[in-house]
């Protein structure tokens, strides 16, 4: 049977505000496709809630939940560290610094082309030779952009097997303290 919030509160002998508070805490899910509550499920949930509150289980349940979340965060951190050691992941600040430096060098290279090219093509009368010279120097400047090396980004070499397990040993020691 589907009931509204006020009817649910009356059946359970609590206020509508308490129903709202318990709903915010994750109890009393609304029935699918309606704005009401399934009285059968809500009564059972409320009985379980009261029993757990009497026996003090809610504290241990929340502690277990917090521990599980903590373990999940540690797992995610381990995955990120592994990806970093495998050179699949870089710090955002390192990538930003690397790209800024690379683009500044590229800009300077492009800005120096007119001076360099003026000396090379001065007096040249063959248009095809001028085009070839310009094209060659432009491609040389563009080649700088294609020279990506992950070790240049953060100045480290790819991690080794020993390094991966050194970090884990450090974490295990921290957990024991």
């Amino acid at each position: 049977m589907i009931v509204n919030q006020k009817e649910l509160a009356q059946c359970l002998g609590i206020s509508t505000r308490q129903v709202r508070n318990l709903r915010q805490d994750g109890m009393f899910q609304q029935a699918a496709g309606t704005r009401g509550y399934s009285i059968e499920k809500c009564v059972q949930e409320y009985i379980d809630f009261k029993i757990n509150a009497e026996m003090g289980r809610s504290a241990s349940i929340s502690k277990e939940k917090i521990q599980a979340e903590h373990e999940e965060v540690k797992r995610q951190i381990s995955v990120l560290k592994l990806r970093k050691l495998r050179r699949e992941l870089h710090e955002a600040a390192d990538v930003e610094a690397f790209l800024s430096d690379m683009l500044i060098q590229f800009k300077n290279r492009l800005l120096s082309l007119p001076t360099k090219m003026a000396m090379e093509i001065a007096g040249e009368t063959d248009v095809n030779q001028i085009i070839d010279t310009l094209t060659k120097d432009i491609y040389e400047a563009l080649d700088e952009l294609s020279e990506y090396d992950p070790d240049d980004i953060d100045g480290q070499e790819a991690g080794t097997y020993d390094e991966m397990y050194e970090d884990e040993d450090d974490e295990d020691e921290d957990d024991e303290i």
Side-chain angles (χ1 to χ4, degrees), residues 29-47:
Q29 299 301 317
Q30 291 180 333
T34 67
R35 295 188 60 186
Y37 302 92
S38 170
I39 189 76
E40 297 86 7
K41 289 181 183 178
C42 292
V43 168
Q44 188 60 49
E45 275 186 282
Y46 190 68
I47 290 170

Side-chain angles (χ1 to χ4, degrees), residues 58-113:
S58 63
S60 65
I61 291 171
S62 64
K63 182 179 177 184
E64 290 171 1
K65 183 178 177 183
I66 290 170
Q67 259 184 328
E69 289 173 356
H70 177 71
E71 290 301 318
E72 176 61 19
V73 169
K74 281 176 43 177
R75 187 192 68 76
Q76 289 174 357
I77 289 170
S78 295
V79 168
L80 291 175
K81 283 182 179 181
L82 179 61
R83 288 189 64 207
K84 189 172 181 181
L85 287 171
R86 289 181 178 166
R87 314 306 291 158
E88 297 171 354
L89 183 70
H90 298 288
E91 297 286 334
D94 293 338
V95 172
E96 184 179 346
F98 177 79
L99 287 176
S100 294
D101 184 51
M102 185 175 73
L103 291 174
I104 288 170
Q105 289 177 7
F106 180 69
K107 174 187 161 198
N108 291 337
R109 178 83 184 255
L110 285 180
L111 291 175
S112 71
L113 279 179

Side-chain angles (χ1 to χ4, degrees), residues 142-159:
L142 289 172
D143 279 342
E144 284 185 21
L145 288 179
S146 66
E147 295 174 6
Y148 163 74
D149 183 11
D151 296 337
D152 290 343
I153 290 183
D154 56 9
Q156 296 179 358
E157 293 184 21

Side-chain angles (χ1 to χ4, degrees), residues 147-175:
E147 295 174 6
Y148 163 74
D149 183 11
D151 296 337
D152 290 343
I153 290 183
D154 56 9
Q156 296 179 358
E157 293 184 21
T160 64
Y161 180 81
D162 294 335
E163 288 173 345
M164 290 190 309
Y165 286 101
E166 283 176 12
D167 289 343
E168 285 184 12
D169 291 342
D170 292 344
E171 287 177 13
D172 292 342
E173 290 171 7
D174 291 344
D175 290 343

